[in-house]
Amino acid sequence: MENPNIEQKIQDFIARIEARNPNEPEFLQAVKEVAITVLPFIATRKEYAGKKLLERMAEAERIIIFRVPWMDDKGEIHVNRGYRIQMNSAIGPYKGGIRFHPTVNLSVLKFLAFEQVFKNSLTTLPMGGGKGGANFDPQGKSDMEIMRFCQAFMTEMCKHIGPETDVPAGDIGVGAREIGYLFGQYKKIRNEFTGVLTGKGLAYGGSLIRPEATGYGVVYFCEQMLKTIGETIEGKTFSVSGFGNVAWGVVKKINELGGKVLTISGPDGYIYDEEGISGAKVDFMLSMRASGTNRAQDFATEFPSAVFHAGKRPWEVKCDVAIPAATQNELLLEDAELLVANGVLCVTEAANMPSTLEAINYFVENKILFSPGKASNAGGVATSGLEMTQNSIRLNWTSEEVDARLKEIMIGIHKACRDYGKEDNGYVNYVKGANIAGFVKVAEAMLAQGVV
Ligand code: GLU
């Protein structure tokens, strides 16, 4: 960093955040990544001086933590912990998913809510940032257990959300089925049929393309990144991680655009398929997800061309483009080194914060086209925003209309990242671009609304 004064300011800022949020490594990681790129920008703007804008953004407006008691099929009672983080409402109602996963804790949800503020701002739609969830493990639970858990969760959460206040959606462990149960319970308690959740089924206010949107958006973003070096998706090889909703949308769109997907993965290891993951194999990803077993190995049992690598991550495979689409911190420095050594052209994040800070720095130092999830995976929440609009005007748009708007939004985000992220030597630092572009809109709204 050229300015020693700024360097000191960044360190002091991070020290304050760390002191106020002890034992929250994921949250600190997310704030650090933003602080390093945004504080130097703030220092160049007189109107931002002394307003503590980033410091205010790093403190949730409200955090709700609650007990979720529920009964399993055998009549045994279980207790989980539920959360809703209402991070920032400067530009719209809180908006962000619900995650049901055993790894859920305050740090993880605060990092996700913090990221969501910047991501939602990048979409240009009027959505603030929030996130919620529970340390509940859906794996191996019956349909009725899932229903009872969702009902117990919503019994408390319904007091804190609403279409003009906070609009949750899905995330890991929460798909169309869970959103249905959550919506049903909200409607029963509040006696209101409103667009309080997104990712709803088509029969009760959902939007076409919402299930595909995150993955499609990632590939549209990747297409734009490749375009800057005169390349296209067609004919390229892709390493994808994960096999859930986001990975599925990514794989589907890559195939449509003529790319070849070599890998997908699960917590148990990854699948390498030299013939490419296309056709019936893409549909099989849906049944893997529905089965709830969380095993990538099942894919290799089904398709003989697929080889299963137990306990490994797919980043050791030579590919043109890497798309981490599983979860946070799944791509480490050693993985980044392997990818770069194997000649990767582009890394487009599809999960939230899948790369560690060290991995990101390595990509940036090596001038790899690299985009952070908060920019490249924003198509999911953007399409949630389009679902909210359709609910408000009580109309449904066609797939073509939603898809065209999604694509336009992703092209807009890519442009915003370039505008703020272009460095003197011509390299586009998408991390810096996304953070600053996301920050500016929220900052302007906060400045206008005073110290609240
Ligand atoms: N969970 C998704 C995300 O990380 C979608 C959130 C939403 O649609 O509100 O952006």
PDB file of all heavy atoms in Angstrom, residues 9-10 157 182 191 208 320 350 361 389 429:
ATOM      1  N   LYS A   9      -4.601   3.134   9.228  1.00  0.00           N
ATOM      2  CA  LYS A   9      -6.051   3.284   9.434  1.00  0.00           C
ATOM      3  C   LYS A   9      -6.769   1.948   9.249  1.00  0.00           C
ATOM      4  O   LYS A   9      -7.687   1.608   9.999  1.00  0.00           O
ATOM      5  CB  LYS A   9      -6.626   4.288   8.420  1.00  0.00           C
ATOM      6  CG  LYS A   9      -6.591   5.717   8.904  1.00  0.00           C
ATOM      7  CD  LYS A   9      -7.434   6.594   7.999  1.00  0.00           C
ATOM      8  CE  LYS A   9      -7.497   8.012   8.542  1.00  0.00           C
ATOM      9  NZ  LYS A   9      -7.813   8.994   7.543  1.00  0.00           N
ATOM     10  N   ILE A  10      -6.333   1.201   8.247  1.00  0.00           N
ATOM     11  CA  ILE A  10      -6.951  -0.110   7.990  1.00  0.00           C
ATOM     12  C   ILE A  10      -6.704  -1.040   9.172  1.00  0.00           C
ATOM     13  O   ILE A  10      -7.618  -1.689   9.672  1.00  0.00           O
ATOM     14  CB  ILE A  10      -6.416  -0.733   6.674  1.00  0.00           C
ATOM     15  CG1 ILE A  10      -6.842   0.111   5.467  1.00  0.00           C
ATOM     16  CG2 ILE A  10      -6.902  -2.171   6.507  1.00  0.00           C
ATOM     17  CD1 ILE A  10      -6.212  -0.299   4.153  1.00  0.00           C
ATOM     18  N   MET A 157     -39.815 -16.340  13.749  1.00  0.00           N
ATOM     19  CA  MET A 157     -39.303 -15.374  12.765  1.00  0.00           C
ATOM     20  C   MET A 157     -40.401 -14.467  12.203  1.00  0.00           C
ATOM     21  O   MET A 157     -40.143 -13.325  11.811  1.00  0.00           O
ATOM     22  CB  MET A 157     -38.572 -16.094  11.623  1.00  0.00           C
ATOM     23  CG  MET A 157     -37.716 -15.119  10.822  1.00  0.00           C
ATOM     24  SD  MET A 157     -36.675 -15.891   9.587  1.00  0.00           S
ATOM     25  CE  MET A 157     -37.878 -16.588   8.490  1.00  0.00           C
ATOM     26  N   LEU A 182     -42.307 -22.713   5.211  1.00  0.00           N
ATOM     27  CA  LEU A 182     -42.122 -21.446   5.939  1.00  0.00           C
ATOM     28  C   LEU A 182     -43.240 -20.463   5.574  1.00  0.00           C
ATOM     29  O   LEU A 182     -43.822 -19.794   6.436  1.00  0.00           O
ATOM     30  CB  LEU A 182     -40.749 -20.831   5.606  1.00  0.00           C
ATOM     31  CG  LEU A 182     -39.511 -21.576   6.141  1.00  0.00           C
ATOM     32  CD1 LEU A 182     -38.238 -21.125   5.443  1.00  0.00           C
ATOM     33  CD2 LEU A 182     -39.369 -21.376   7.659  1.00  0.00           C
ATOM     34  N   ASN A 191     -52.030 -14.234   8.995  1.00  0.00           N
ATOM     35  CA  ASN A 191     -53.235 -14.092   8.174  1.00  0.00           C
ATOM     36  C   ASN A 191     -53.058 -13.087   7.048  1.00  0.00           C
ATOM     37  O   ASN A 191     -53.895 -12.220   6.808  1.00  0.00           O
ATOM     38  CB  ASN A 191     -54.441 -13.705   9.056  1.00  0.00           C
ATOM     39  CG  ASN A 191     -55.758 -13.925   8.326  1.00  0.00           C
ATOM     40  OD1 ASN A 191     -55.816 -14.691   7.352  1.00  0.00           O
ATOM     41  ND2 ASN A 191     -56.813 -13.240   8.749  1.00  0.00           N
ATOM     42  N   LEU A 208     -40.615 -17.453 -12.350  1.00  0.00           N
ATOM     43  CA  LEU A 208     -39.895 -18.322 -13.282  1.00  0.00           C
ATOM     44  C   LEU A 208     -38.418 -17.939 -13.229  1.00  0.00           C
ATOM     45  O   LEU A 208     -38.083 -16.780 -12.973  1.00  0.00           O
ATOM     46  CB  LEU A 208     -40.446 -18.142 -14.702  1.00  0.00           C
ATOM     47  CG  LEU A 208     -41.844 -18.741 -14.918  1.00  0.00           C
ATOM     48  CD1 LEU A 208     -42.518 -18.139 -16.158  1.00  0.00           C
ATOM     49  CD2 LEU A 208     -41.757 -20.256 -15.069  1.00  0.00           C
ATOM     50  N   ASP A 320      -9.813 -24.492 -17.776  1.00  0.00           N
ATOM     51  CA  ASP A 320      -9.701 -23.090 -18.202  1.00  0.00           C
ATOM     52  C   ASP A 320     -10.337 -22.157 -17.175  1.00  0.00           C
ATOM     53  O   ASP A 320      -9.865 -21.061 -16.938  1.00  0.00           O
ATOM     54  CB  ASP A 320     -10.416 -22.893 -19.551  1.00  0.00           C
ATOM     55  CG  ASP A 320      -9.781 -23.719 -20.657  1.00  0.00           C
ATOM     56  OD1 ASP A 320      -8.526 -23.773 -20.702  1.00  0.00           O
ATOM     57  OD2 ASP A 320     -10.526 -24.327 -21.470  1.00  0.00           O
ATOM     58  N   ALA A 350     -19.045 -18.658  -7.237  1.00  0.00           N
ATOM     59  CA  ALA A 350     -20.500 -18.831  -7.249  1.00  0.00           C
ATOM     60  C   ALA A 350     -21.054 -18.970  -5.833  1.00  0.00           C
ATOM     61  O   ALA A 350     -22.186 -18.585  -5.564  1.00  0.00           O
ATOM     62  CB  ALA A 350     -20.861 -20.069  -8.064  1.00  0.00           C
ATOM     63  N   ASN A 361      -5.697 -13.082  -2.750  1.00  0.00           N
ATOM     64  CA  ASN A 361      -4.490 -12.284  -2.995  1.00  0.00           C
ATOM     65  C   ASN A 361      -3.600 -12.936  -4.042  1.00  0.00           C
ATOM     66  O   ASN A 361      -3.018 -12.259  -4.884  1.00  0.00           O
ATOM     67  CB  ASN A 361      -3.697 -12.096  -1.690  1.00  0.00           C
ATOM     68  CG  ASN A 361      -4.421 -11.133  -0.771  1.00  0.00           C
ATOM     69  OD1 ASN A 361      -5.278 -10.351  -1.206  1.00  0.00           O
ATOM     70  ND2 ASN A 361      -4.108 -11.182   0.516  1.00  0.00           N
ATOM     71  N   THR A 389     -40.944  -7.699  -7.121  1.00  0.00           N
ATOM     72  CA  THR A 389     -41.631  -6.746  -8.012  1.00  0.00           C
ATOM     73  C   THR A 389     -42.896  -7.378  -8.586  1.00  0.00           C
ATOM     74  O   THR A 389     -43.969  -6.762  -8.589  1.00  0.00           O
ATOM     75  CB  THR A 389     -40.697  -6.332  -9.170  1.00  0.00           C
ATOM     76  OG1 THR A 389     -39.493  -5.847  -8.623  1.00  0.00           O
ATOM     77  CG2 THR A 389     -41.338  -5.274 -10.057  1.00  0.00           C
ATOM     78  N   ASN A 429      -9.343  -5.340 -10.963  1.00  0.00           N
ATOM     79  CA  ASN A 429      -9.451  -5.975  -9.651  1.00  0.00           C
ATOM     80  C   ASN A 429     -10.945  -5.983  -9.298  1.00  0.00           C
ATOM     81  O   ASN A 429     -11.488  -4.998  -8.787  1.00  0.00           O
ATOM     82  CB  ASN A 429      -8.628  -5.179  -8.636  1.00  0.00           C
ATOM     83  CG  ASN A 429      -8.639  -5.825  -7.268  1.00  0.00           C
ATOM     84  OD1 ASN A 429      -9.574  -6.556  -6.931  1.00  0.00           O
ATOM     85  ND2 ASN A 429      -7.613  -5.548  -6.493  1.00  0.00           N
TER      86      ASN A 429
END
